[in-house]
Amino acid sequence: MGARATIIFHALFLTSLQLLLTRHVSSAAGGKWNLLLPNVGIAAMHMQLLRNDRVVMFDRTNFGPSNISLPNGNCRDSPNDIVTKLDCTAHSIEYDVASNTVRPLTVQSNTWCSSGSVRPDGVLVQTGGDRDGELKARTFSPCNNNRCDWVEFSNGLATRRWYASNHILPDGKQIVVGGQGKFNYEFYPKTTSQNVVALPFLAETNDRGEENNLYPYVFLNTDGNLFIFANNRAILLDYVKNTVVKTFPAIPGGDPRSYPRTGSAVLLPLKNLEAVKIEAELRKMPRARVMGDMTLLPNGDVLIINGGGSGSAAWELGREPVLVPDLYQPENPVNSRFESLNPTTIPRMYHSTAILLRDGRVLVGGSNPHAFYNFTGVLFPTELSLEAFSPVYLEPEFANLRPKIMSPKSPSRIKYRTSLKLQFKVTGEVKSPVKVTMVFPSFTTHSFSMNQRLLVLDNVKFTRKGKSMTYEVQVRTPRSANIAPPGYYMIFVVNQNIPSEGVWVRLQ
């Protein structure tokens, strides 16, 4: 896999309320919705998949009581709670994908509108929040005995962070960028050098008051620099030297895309980077969408889901729920890349989330466009349900094309710059070349999936094992941590655009 900084505009795909209806939309619909749980107890404002196929979700701690009790009859002193000063309910849960159950977790400080990432060892690191949570760092270590819970660290951050963005770095640390009134960045864990570094770009693009430029879009480029987008502009930042390597042209029209005029952003699949052709054209969305989520699917397509058709983020400002997901297929011809899919029946407005699961489904939850848990008397009631959207590739008619990975087993360890052999079975036809993809699980909140990354590995050799239904594909692992930061990835085999269930691998 090569590396070239100038490919970034091809790789970055933005959505926005201002991108309106196009004529080139497929009328076909597909995919299936399933209601997993009608009530998980909290509004899933933040969501992270962990290496044991459990999902940590949380909202905020000063909303008043949630709909799930704290474990073991515990209660928490909550002096900043607007409703009650003694809270016996949980504001974080762990969802077990296999058993379709939840258990309450305990957070002691306010996690509202915070950020996070997963360390190379699989531990979730979450930073910041509101009020008593702004300087906090919290960790959650995955376990299978239902005993793990949040561990909190006072003064884990060097400055208060609310609405910041995190990204895992090649050395395994996290960079924490921006936040309300914070035109700078820092590192977690804290470094011995200057830990708060000024980033004038955030101040320069903050032309609509301190509420603007929250949750900037941050991506690790393949040259090791950071692509940072705020408002309607972007830079390439050397965060080590604190030098702007490149300033990109502003998006035409002047309309902002970042919070609270919330679009979404995703880094398109990274593959054969030396051969990528740069594209500068703007393409219109199938429909207006604000506060939507963009999720990379294992086959390299992008699912655009959730949100409203008008308004903006923040309390009570979103309107016209968009119930129809849209699929963006980057390898299709330019005029046939969008496809509209089957709709849900549940509005997912402000504070909704979506993440990819290892089985290929997309987990969808949240929606709380109010200051409290309002279930009646409002336009869009607080939503505590959890759904799964199954893309078309999971429909029964494609079962015979779906690979089943036999090895490596989940979880496995892999290294950089090596060959990796995957054995898999397929009952139907296999067409070469098959793809092997790696997906880094994202920390999703407020329409941005932090750290989300999909790599298409270079295919070296493909063979069939005798006359059986077993095949082997040999690929090259990523050559550097700039392309793929260390940590746990889901790895998939894709046959004719139909992905297998993934297996966990640890890249180190």
Side-chain angles (χ1 to χ4, degrees):
M1 304 180 80
R4 182 183 294 177
T6 53
I7 64 130
I8 194 73
F9 260 175
H10 174 91
L12 186 69
F13 179 72
L14 297 173
T15 69
S16 161
L17 175 62
Q18 288 77 21
L19 300 182
L20 300 177
L21 188 65
T22 175
R23 294 172 295 173
H24 308 290
V25 180
S26 170
S27 59
K32 182 180 180 181
W33 287 90
N34 291 101
L35 179 65
L36 299 176
L37 292 170
N39 185 346
V40 298
I42 68 166
M45 186 188 302
H46 311 75
M47 195 181 289
Q48 173 74 60
L49 174 67
L50 301 176
R51 58 178 170 79
N52 61 349
D53 293 319
R54 301 195 182 187
V55 181
V56 171
M57 308 175 197
F58 53 93
D59 54 9
R60 60 183 289 184
T61 60
N62 64 343
F63 255 0
S66 72
N67 272 232
I68 186 170
S69 298
L70 283 168
N72 304 316
N74 293 329
C75 294
R76 181 178 63 87
D77 290 330
S78 186
N80 291 319
D81 198 313
I82 303 170
V83 178
T84 178
K85 305 306 178 185
L86 183 66
D87 192 353
C88 301
T89 62
H91 297 280
S92 178
I93 61 169
E94 181 191 63
Y95 171 68
D96 188 329
V97 175
S99 65
N100 192 37
T101 58
V102 300
R103 70 179 181 97
L105 302 174
T106 304
V107 284
Q108 297 292 343
S109 55
N110 200 343
T111 51
W112 182 26
C113 301
S114 54
S115 51
S117 177
V118 175
R119 289 190 328 212
D121 62 358
V123 173
L124 171 60
V125 176
Q126 185 274 326
T127 55
D130 186 28
R131 299 176 183 262
D132 63 343
E134 288 180 315
L135 285 171
K136 293 275 189 175
R138 308 166 188 87
T139 61
F140 186 91
S141 300
C143 68
N144 294 319
N145 59 11
N146 293 334
R147 295 179 182 176
C148 46
D149 210 334
W150 287 104
V151 177
E152 304 201 15
F153 302 92
S154 298
N155 299 316
L157 294 176
T159 189
R160 298 179 183 274
R161 300 282 175 187
W162 191 32
Y163 291 90
S165 294
N166 289 25
H167 204 294
I168 186 78
L169 296 175
D171 63 0
K173 292 186 175 69
Q174 291 189 38
I175 190 169
V176 189
V177 181
Q180 188 181 52
K182 302 298 180 182
F183 309 128
N184 50 48
Y185 59 88
E186 64 177 280
F187 301 94
Y188 185 87
K190 294 177 182 177
T191 62
T192 55
S193 59
Q194 180 186 7
N195 201 54
V196 177
V197 184
L199 183 56
F201 168 74
L202 293 178
E204 294 163 3
T205 52
N206 189 52
D207 58 1
R208 303 194 184 199
E210 68 172 3
E211 295 292 343
N212 200 45
N213 279 3
L214 307 182
Y215 283 129
Y217 302 141
V218 179
F219 297 95
L220 177 66
N221 194 28
T222 56
D223 61 1
N225 295 313
L226 291 178
F227 181 92
I228 302 178
F229 178 95
N231 201 328
N232 66 347
R233 286 184 275 167
I235 59 171
L236 197 63
L237 176 72
D238 182 336
Y239 62 87
V240 176
K241 299 178 180 178
N242 191 29
T243 302
V244 175
V245 177
K246 184 177 179 62
T247 299
F248 295 98
I251 291 181
D255 294 317
R257 263 68 169 177
S258 53
Y259 188 97
R261 293 88 181 161
T262 305
S264 190
V266 68
L267 196 67
L268 290 179
L270 299 173
K271 63 174 185 176
N272 300 324
L273 298 184
E274 294 290 359
V276 165
K277 182 179 179 181
I278 299 171
E279 297 181 18
E281 65 185 285
L282 286 176
R283 290 184 291 279
K284 291 189 175 181
M285 297 272 292
R287 70 199 79 252
R289 191 185 301 260
V290 64
M291 301 179 295
D293 289 284
M294 300 180 74
T295 303
L296 286 167
L297 300 180
N299 59 5
D301 292 343
V302 183
L303 183 69
I304 309 169
I305 200 166
N306 296 339
S310 62
S312 73
W315 305 129
E316 312 290 349
L317 297 183
R319 293 293 185 271
E320 302 175 61
V322 180
L323 304 178
V324 175
D326 292 308
L327 189 69
Y328 178 75
Q329 302 159 95
E331 294 190 357
N332 280 9
V334 170
N335 292 333
S336 60
R337 291 183 177 173
F338 284 104
E339 181 179 339
S340 300
L341 305 176
N342 285 325
T344 181
T345 60
I346 302 175
R348 301 287 181 180
M349 302 294 281
Y350 188 44
H351 291 151
S352 59
T353 46
I355 61 167
L356 176 68
L357 298 178
R358 187 168 58 89
D359 60 19
R361 294 178 299 163
V362 174
L363 191 67
V364 178
S367 187
N368 192 355
H370 326 286
F372 303 100
Y373 282 107
N374 292 338
F375 302 103
T376 59
V378 290
L379 189 59
F380 304 111
T382 300
E383 188 55 63
L384 304 184
S385 68
L386 197 64
E387 293 177 284
F389 179 73
S390 297
V392 176
Y393 54 64
L394 291 176
E395 292 180 358
E397 63 185 282
F398 300 115
N400 67 324
L401 300 179
R402 189 168 305 127
K404 178 178 176 59
I405 297 176
M406 311 304 293
S407 68
K409 299 295 184 182
S410 183
S412 295
R413 295 174 183 261
I414 62 175
K415 296 183 178 181
Y416 292 96
R417 293 178 173 269
T418 60
S419 292
L420 174 64
K421 294 180 180 180
L422 296 99
Q423 290 190 358
F424 60 96
K425 287 186 175 181
V426 176
T427 59
E429 182 183 15
V430 175
K431 288 187 177 180
S432 181
V434 297
K435 288 196 301 188
V436 176
T437 61
M438 290 175 56
V439 181
F440 194 94
S442 61
F443 180 96
T444 300
T445 188
H446 290 74
S447 301
F448 183 44
S449 294
M450 303 175 194
N451 311 288
Q452 185 174 210
R453 198 174 193 84
L454 185 146
L455 300 96
V456 181
L457 302 185
D458 290 339
N459 194 321
V460 178
K461 186 178 180 181
F462 172 71
T463 57
R464 182 173 182 172
K465 296 296 184 179
K467 296 183 179 180
S468 67
M469 296 179 294
T470 302
Y471 302 82
E472 182 177 275
V473 60
Q474 182 178 342
V475 293
R476 294 189 186 94
T477 60
R479 72 180 192 181
S480 78
N482 290 342
I483 295 171
Y488 282 88
Y489 289 74
M490 295 175 283
I491 195 164
F492 300 86
V493 174
V494 183
N495 172 39
Q496 300 182 62
N497 216 37
I498 308 298
S500 67
E501 183 172 287
V503 296
W504 285 106
V505 296
R506 184 178 180 181
L507 177 64
Q508 59 186 123

